Amino acid sequence: MAEDEETPLDRRGFLKTAASGTVAATVPTVVQAKDDEHDHDHQDVPSDPALRAKALESLLVEKGLVDRSALDALVDTFEHKIGPRNGARVVAKAWSDPAYKRRLLSDANAAIAELGYTGQQGEHMVVVENSPTVHHMVVCTLCSCYPWPTLGLPPVWYKSAAYRSRVVIDPRSVLSEFGLEIPNDVEVRVWDSTAEIRYLVLPERPTGTEGMSEEALAALVTRDSMIGTAKVFPPGQGVTP
Amino acid sequence: MNGVHDVGGMQDFGPIRPEANEPVFHAPWEGRVLAMNLAIAAWRKFAADHRRYARELIPPAQQLAMSYYEKWYAGLITNMIDASMITRAEVESGMPVPGSPKLTPPMTAARVPVFWSNGSPKIRNVPAIASFRVGQRVRARNINPPTHTRLPRYARGKFGVVEGARGIFVFPDSNAQGLGEKPQHLYSVRFAARELWGDQGGAKDTVYIDMWDDYLEPA
């Protein structure tokens, strides 16, 4: 969306008036049922989200606002071209190649681009390295910011209010729920993605992996270890996504 | 806006529920809604800041009850109506109003790879004065704008230290209102958990928050 950011609308009060009326027409029936008893204006909008999405897509195609095959290509990108396997390759390369790791920690954008994992929601990457003294974890308390090219779309739990609310005030109980106990003398450092910087955790390389190939190392690296809610286990001991 | 989206520090949302072998989308419509958001973005009528603001404006009780992609569906419609791309009547009928012109979408399948790899950088190559330097002690301003902001409530009024300078970025507070990008310096600011949460915070623990110049004052 390089092209979408350049021409913001210049009206004051953008969205101020649009929201209430529009949203009323688009929220699920389950929460809108009471209102509907008094207001039948919106009854033509289907209650089922799948039907509503389909109706909207048809409308947008009919008006020439979207191209159906472009939507197919975007969905294909989400489902098949991005995902935590990409991030795992970045991590494995950093573990295997000290010069790459230095580049990754000093200029993550360029280092990640070397492997081709650029794109939407990966424009401004910062990689933070776990160590025996600091354990990093990532959140977006205000919405759902996440590094798409390297990790794919976020899991539901990452977007949930439960995770987003608690991880800043009580990160150790969150880690505990993920089965991770961090000693009290280790700093837990939480990165709240409030701006357009996207964070990727470089987990510690597990012991017993000396001499393993990058490909074999990448297979050990889990999504959660790159969010910071897990560590990477030695071969044969991995348990988490 | 002090909205229900700004959940940092709340304590009553219950356990976190990871899902084993979670699919990218739980139903095909979710992927279509996300794809429509991106394809419509190619018209350059509104930006990510507007999209976030539109979702934040969903009334609180409904916002909490809606699924993630239901919010993206509702927000997209809000944005498109506000940008005069569609009308509420069209959403309700599912049909274009009679006589409306058939447009040509800027996002074609062939353009998706370029669109994807280009991304949407929010850094701006314009001059701006940096009011703070790395290592400086700062305080997050106690501001409560009724409009979009990316300064979380839990940090307002708190003291921290600038740990990094990120560059000059679009300022969401102005951009989301259609008041311009107002690019300014963005910093990584470290807050001690005890500063944010009192004795409830871990003695060694920290929270790092990205903050624009306008969110900070010298301390």
Side-chain angles (χ1 to χ4, degrees), chain B:
Chain B
M1 185 176 64
N2 293 345
V4 75
H5 66 285
D6 182 3
V7 295
M10 293 179 75
Q11 295 171 308
D12 50 356
F13 281 109
I16 297 153
R17 302 183 187 283
E19 176 184 344
N21 303 312
E22 184 175 336
V24 174
F25 298 111
H26 288 77
W29 71 267
E30 297 185 340
R32 305 308 282 185
V33 165
L34 184 56
M36 282 190 271
N37 268 270
L38 294 194
I40 288 298
W43 284 94
R44 303 162 59 176
K45 300 282 191 185
F46 45 84
D49 296 319
H50 303 105
R51 293 198 291 276
R52 292 192 186 113
Y53 189 21
R55 295 192 292 267
E56 289 166 10
L57 285 168
I58 299 169
Q62 295 169 356
Q63 204 178 129
L64 286 171
M66 290 163 84
S67 79
Y68 184 76
Y69 288 108
E70 283 173 332
K71 286 182 272 192
W72 279 64
Y73 166 86
L76 177 62
I77 288 176
T78 301
N79 286 135
M80 293 184 73
I81 291 176
D82 210 75
S84 302
M85 299 174 83
I86 55 173
T87 65
R88 175 127 52 108
E90 288 178 323
V91 174
E92 287 165 7
S93 70
M95 304 284 287
V97 292
S100 58
K102 173 106 178 179
L103 305 169
T104 303
M107 175 88 82
T108 59
R111 282 211 60 229
V112 166
V114 171
F115 160 82
W116 187 269
S117 59
N118 281 353
S120 312
K122 312 300 189 304
I123 203 159
R124 294 292 178 263
N125 186 20
V126 297
I129 291 168
S131 307
F132 307 94
R133 55 180 165 70
V134 173
Q136 186 173 350
R137 189 170 147 83
V138 291
R139 186 181 195 187
R141 288 180 188 274
N142 182 15
I143 54 169
N144 290 274
T147 47
H148 181 68
T149 185
R150 297 291 289 182
L151 175 56
R153 254 178 293 180
Y154 73 85
R156 294 175 195 167
K158 305 295 185 184
F159 291 91
V161 175
V162 175
E163 287 291 323
R166 302 296 196 200
I168 296 167
F169 281 78
V170 174
F171 187 50
D173 300 42
S174 57
N175 200 35
Q177 290 185 71
L179 300 179
E181 293 194 339
K182 203 181 169 189
Q184 53 186 272
H185 283 267
L186 179 72
Y187 309 90
S188 175
V189 183
R190 169 169 56 90
F191 293 89
R194 290 253 160 114
E195 166 68 12
L196 298 173
W197 316 112
D199 289 345
Q200 203 84 355
K204 289 202 67 148
D205 298 344
T206 55
V207 179
Y208 281 56
I209 307 176
D210 288 321
M211 293 189 165
W212 281 264
D213 226 306
D214 277 2
Y215 292 172
L216 296 170
E217 58 195 17

Side-chain angles (χ1 to χ4, degrees), chain A residues 200-234:
Chain A
L200 184 75
V201 175
L202 175 58
E204 287 176 277
R205 180 172 177 163
T207 55
T209 58
E210 299 75 15
M212 282 177 65
S213 69
E214 261 184 56
E215 198 183 335
L217 287 169
L220 299 176
V221 179
T222 61
R223 177 195 68 206
D224 290 3
S225 73
M226 294 179 282
I227 301 173
T229 54
K231 286 181 177 283
V232 178
F233 293 92

